[in-house]
Amino acid sequence: MNSPCDVPGVDAISGTSSHPAAPLHPERTLVTAHDAGLSYGGQAIALDHLDFSIASGDALALVGPNGSGKSTLLKALLGLVKTVRGELHVLDGDPRAAAGRIGYLPQHDEIDLEFPVSLQQVVMMGRYRTLGNFRWPGKADRKAVREALERVDLADRASAHFGSLSGGQRQRGLLARALVDSPDLLLLDEPFNGLDTTSRKALMATLRKLRGEGVGIIVSTHDLELAHQVCSHILLVNREQIAFGPIHETLIPENVTRAFGESHDHFDTHSDLVAHPHPVQHDPRSRDIL
Ligand SMILES: Nc1ncnc2c1ncn2[C@@H]1O[C@H](COP(=O)(O)OP(=O)(O)OP(=O)(O)O)[C@@H](O)[C@H]1O
């Protein structure tokens, strides 16, 4: 059974129905991988045998243990890591050609919180590709910044000193920076690390709203709740692809064990968040809730 959270327009937090805006991004395939292998400059393949695809409005949870290749895949989608075998296409072509259509929220950001920069100035940094080196931000740029801040519900804090915002607000501000050029594809590397429950929920709601607008999302995470609340698909990796598919069919104990090993402690395979296609009898924790 699909979770209500899988359906664009159904609120992730309340579970109530809303009226989604018409998709702003046309339906199209955003990423395809065919037996792709990724490598850092002539070194051994860091992540191999990738075979998956995602389309507009899909959200893919990229899940695997530390060092399994999650960031490597995100960097390859940005054209920063080479595909040394097979194919990895973004918007039907080489990832480097699609760079202007991708928004990226890195795992660590370098912004010095003491630096006297406002939230809207941080978001404007996301316009640098559009602005080039020699143009001052104009009306259209300021409008784009305002709209990006509205999308993450931070328009009222536009002038605030970036360093004075809460951790969750800063994270949403950085998301606005990734969104300011209206990307077709949004890549997020562990965006929920260190966030409190309220900020997590706000960020999840924003991501679901973006899906409803037709943005494709790939989010690297250890967080199964996030994966279930936001994502339609999951890609489990451990130096190679372990499994890919709709989240409710693919996030099963067998695949989790294959990705994390028998002794993993990240995921309780009896957790409500891991699908149990064949619930184990006599175990009160086992429920086929999905
Ligand atoms: N710049 C680099 N040059 C060479 N090898 C690298 C580089 N960055 C990562 N690797 C290697 O690629 C493999 C995958 O690392 P990656 O950072 O993609 O894993 P990850 O799943 O994102 O890990 P984590 O959850 O800890 O962030 C590791 O063996 C790592 O050592």
Side-chain angles (χ1 to χ4, degrees):
M1 190 180 83
N2 281 346
S3 148
C5 299
D6 249 352
V7 183
V10 176
D11 189 85
I13 299 165
S14 66
T16 57
S17 178
S18 61
H19 296 287
L24 303 175
H25 300 260
E27 173 74 31
R28 62 182 297 190
T29 301
L30 297 177
V31 178
T32 48
H34 293 301
D35 200 21
L38 312 175
S39 171
Y40 290 88
Q43 299 183 31
I45 289 183
L47 181 60
D48 210 355
H49 303 303
L50 293 166
D51 255 298
F52 69 92
S53 73
I54 72 155
S56 326
D58 286 346
L60 176 69
L62 180 54
V63 175
N66 291 330
S68 58
K70 302 182 295 295
S71 302
T72 301
L73 175 54
L74 297 181
K75 288 180 205 161
L77 293 168
L78 290 164
L80 303 174
V81 169
K82 266 195 174 165
T83 305
V84 291
R85 52 177 265 160
E87 289 175 352
L88 180 68
H89 286 161
V90 181
L91 298 172
D92 298 326
D94 187 291
R96 280 168 299 186
R101 304 306 318 139
I102 300 177
Y104 176 51
L105 181 62
Q107 193 169 352
H108 304 289
D109 204 276
E110 301 301 318
I111 295 176
D112 181 348
L113 299 182
E114 300 300 320
F115 195 65
V117 65
S118 69
L119 172 61
Q120 61 196 347
Q121 286 171 319
V122 168
V123 177
M124 188 64 83
M125 292 172 193
R127 291 286 284 185
Y128 283 170
R129 188 185 284 110
T130 311
L131 278 168
N133 289 331
F134 303 108
R135 191 166 70 76
W136 287 102
K139 204 172 162 187
D141 304 302
R142 287 192 292 275
K143 180 166 179 271
V145 167
R146 200 168 51 247
E147 286 173 355
L149 284 170
E150 280 164 8
R151 286 168 107 180
V152 300
D153 294 324
L154 278 180
D156 57 335
R157 304 305 313 275
S159 305
H161 173 221
F162 186 74
S164 73
L165 300 173
S166 72
Q169 288 172 331
R170 287 200 299 272
Q171 190 70 320
R172 278 190 285 145
L174 294 172
L175 179 58
R177 186 184 63 179
L179 290 173
V180 73
D181 263 347
S182 290
D184 295 308
L185 177 65
L186 183 61
L187 308 178
L188 305 125
D189 201 350
E190 302 280 359
F192 289 77
N193 280 359
L195 295 192
D196 62 20
T197 307
T198 309
S199 301
R200 278 164 50 92
K201 284 185 174 173
L203 193 51
M204 281 198 268
T206 302
L207 295 182
R208 290 177 40 72
K209 195 165 72 178
L210 291 169
R211 273 190 70 192
E213 292 172 7
V215 177
I217 297 171
I218 300 183
V219 53
S220 139
T221 184
H222 290 105
D223 187 330
L224 281 188
E225 186 189 349
L226 159 76
H228 270 272
Q229 293 281 341
V230 174
C231 296
S232 53
H233 295 75
I234 188 166
L235 176 62
L236 282 153
V237 295
N238 193 349
R239 308 303 300 268
E240 62 176 3
Q241 178 167 319
I242 302 294
F244 165 72
I247 198 156
H248 300 293
E249 294 167 16
T250 312
L251 190 56
I252 58 174
E254 181 199 341
N255 287 337
V256 173
T257 301
R258 282 173 61 217
F260 286 85
E262 293 287 349
S263 59
H264 64 83
D265 54 8
H266 267 315
F267 300 132
D268 174 3
T269 51
H270 293 289
S271 156
D272 285 352
L273 294 171
V274 176
H276 288 271
H278 309 294
V280 181
Q281 299 299 311
H282 313 303
D283 183 341
R285 290 177 302 177
S286 294
R287 290 193 285 140
D288 189 357
I289 61 156
L290 300 171

